[in-house]
Amino acid sequence: MVPAQRFPDHFIQHAMESIIQYLVEMTAHRDHELLNMSVASSLRAITEAEAVRVWECNSSHHGVLLRERVMIGADGTCTAPEGQAARWRAVTDFQDLYKGLEAGLQVITGKDPPCCLWLPVSVKGRVHTCFELHLCTPLPPASLDVIRGILLIYQNYQSLLNDSEHDTLTGLLNRKTFDDHFTKVLRADWSDPGYALQQPQACQRRASPEAPLHDWLAIIDIDHFKQVNDHYGHLYGDEVLILIANLLRTSFRPDDRLFRFGGEEFVVLLRQVSSEDAHRIFERFRSNVEAQQFPQVGRVTVSTGYAHIDLQEAPVAIMGRADQALYHAKTHGRNRVCHYDQLLQRGEVRHESANDTAEFF
């Protein structure tokens, strides 16, 4: 029998101190992107990988989609993908990963040279993030055990962050996360004309090359929802909310952001479509809700007000315009979609300057 290899005590102490430091740094973040970069940096340092890629994952009715978020090189330099490299891709584009996920593996060895490791992480049964490691040589079992331990801690921490950001009933993002997501939309540069091509084929939307693209904010309200609760009870009211949340997921792309603001009100951040397409998309969702048969309740409708996101405007002003459009929809028959700019042009709403110092939340 070959005797087990024994490492010097000082080597073990140094390794433990390093791992503890990585865990401290990892759990210091409350932002998903910073957390992912911290984990990727730790994995690169522990494995001495030539490169580590972080893939954002989205599980939907289209299947599992992946989009590269950042790559960390051997020297620790971080680079973000651009253009076509940043597009959403189907998991079937990565056969090793796809087969490993089908088999339920936590560590998936790829066939690409020199040595590739896929490390998928799931939250609430859905693949949330995947780390891709490019190694010079295969890792020993002890290193793989350390990696599995780090990923379990990362998974638990992601679950805690996920729970704090999502509405318990519908699973949509909650109101307290809206400000952060809205700020990211205002900071991001979505003016790249190739952006529409970055969507998976199943999620692409037509857009005329001549039509300017905008980001949009919509407020959606369930019509007469109080009557649903009063007549059928809150259990059926909750069922209505859950089904509408599911219709929202199937009506919008992975890059669009869906929020439940509380009660019967929802908010959508719609990314980079023309004015014509924005109205068509919101109208299609309204029609889908109207056609849905809700258990016991039967027919339910929604009203929507929306406005384009002006990068020079304060969030409270944009929110206020969408709210004006929603109010117009509610007071003019309900079950309709109203665009603030069109109402303003027709003189059906008044432009009101917002107080930039006001806090909406």
Side-chain angles (χ1 to χ4, degrees):
M1 179 181 294
V2 178
Q5 182 180 7
R6 176 172 174 79
F7 294 100
D9 290 343
H10 67 85
F11 178 87
I12 296 175
Q13 181 180 356
H14 176 73
M16 289 300 297
E17 288 175 353
S18 297
I19 292 172
I20 291 172
Q21 183 60 36
Y22 294 142
L23 296 178
V24 169
E25 292 176 2
M26 182 177 76
T27 54
H29 298 294
R30 298 296 182 270
D31 179 89
H32 288 283
E33 292 183 8
L34 293 177
L35 172 60
N36 289 339
M37 288 182 63
S38 176
V39 174
S41 296
S42 299
L43 291 173
R44 186 199 63 80
I46 291 171
T47 63
E48 298 183 347
E50 291 187 333
V52 177
R53 281 190 173 90
V54 181
W55 295 86
E56 176 186 1
C57 302
N58 186 284
S59 301
S60 68
H61 61 293
H62 298 299
V64 178
L65 305 173
L66 294 91
R67 178 174 65 171
E68 184 181 344
R69 300 302 294 170
V70 69
M71 183 184 76
I72 301 178
D75 59 354
T77 303
C78 298
T79 56
E82 297 179 355
Q84 290 292 319
R87 74 188 190 281
W88 286 98
R89 301 174 62 180
V91 69
T92 50
D93 290 349
F94 310 93
Q95 280 297 304
D96 294 325
L97 174 61
Y98 175 67
K99 292 176 182 178
L101 290 175
E102 289 289 300
L105 300 179
Q106 293 180 316
V107 177
I108 301 167
T109 303
K111 297 177 181 178
D112 296 331
C115 182
C116 176
L117 271 188
W118 291 95
L119 306 171
V121 179
S122 297
V123 175
K124 294 188 179 300
R126 293 172 176 261
V127 183
H128 181 278
T129 308
C130 191
F131 298 95
E132 179 190 3
L133 279 61
H134 289 253
L135 307 166
C136 296
T137 58
L139 294 176
S143 295
L144 289 176
D145 288 340
V146 171
I147 288 174
R148 287 191 184 94
I150 290 176
L151 291 179
L152 284 174
I153 294 172
Y154 167 81
Q155 182 181 43
N156 291 340
Y157 191 60
Q158 279 283 22
S159 295
L160 290 174
L161 288 180
N162 190 72
D163 288 344
S164 71
E165 293 178 348
H166 288 76
D167 174 57
T168 303
L169 178 66
T170 64
L172 301 180
L173 292 166
N174 58 30
R175 181 167 184 164
K176 72 176 184 178
T177 65
F178 172 81
D179 195 29
D180 180 55
H181 282 267
F182 198 11
T183 300
K184 288 181 179 178
V185 170
L186 294 176
R187 284 203 315 259
D189 180 12
W190 302 107
S191 59
D192 180 3
Y195 177 79
L197 300 177
Q198 298 169 17
Q199 309 306 324
Q201 188 64 35
C203 299
Q204 284 186 15
R205 294 178 179 141
R206 61 177 179 85
S208 169
E210 301 82 19
L213 304 181
H214 298 285
D215 295 323
W216 306 85
L217 184 146
I219 304 176
I220 299 169
D221 191 86
I222 303 174
D223 297 327
H224 302 298
F225 185 68
K226 185 177 183 300
Q227 294 181 14
V228 172
N229 282 329
D230 290 346
H231 292 171
Y232 302 101
H234 287 277
L235 287 179
Y236 283 105
D238 287 350
E239 185 72 14
V240 168
L241 293 170
I242 292 169
L243 289 175
I244 285 183
N246 291 339
L247 287 172
L248 281 166
R249 290 189 186 92
T250 57
S251 299
F252 296 91
R253 301 167 301 181
D255 271 342
D256 302 324
R257 292 293 179 260
L258 311 172
F259 304 83
R260 183 189 175 200
F261 257 39
E264 67 272 29
E265 195 168 81
F266 301 86
V267 169
V268 176
L269 293 180
L270 180 65
R271 303 293 185 84
Q272 288 295 284
V273 296
S274 67
S275 176
E276 176 187 351
D277 281 351
H279 192 84
R280 177 180 59 84
I281 291 161
F282 291 128
E283 180 62 32
R284 181 185 61 195
F285 171 71
R286 182 206 62 77
S287 179
N288 288 343
V289 173
E290 186 178 28
Q292 174 75 38
Q293 187 68 23
F294 291 84
Q296 189 69 26
V297 178
R299 182 173 177 265
V300 171
T301 63
V302 296
S303 297
T304 302
Y306 70 99
H308 85 275
I309 296 176
D310 187 337
L311 301 183
Q312 307 304 317
E313 290 281 356
V316 65
I318 301 168
M319 196 75 182
R321 290 168 188 170
D323 195 54
Q324 276 186 272
L326 173 64
Y327 180 78
H328 189 275
K330 300 289 280 188
T331 55
H332 288 76
R334 295 183 170 85
N335 190 24
R336 62 184 59 216
V337 175
C338 290
H339 179 194
Y340 172 83
D341 290 339
Q342 290 181 351
L343 296 175
L344 187 65
Q345 289 174 2
R346 296 197 297 259
E348 297 182 58
V349 296
R350 291 189 309 166
H351 177 73
E352 296 180 3
S353 298
N355 178 4
D356 290 353
T357 63
E359 293 186 6
F360 190 79
F361 308 102

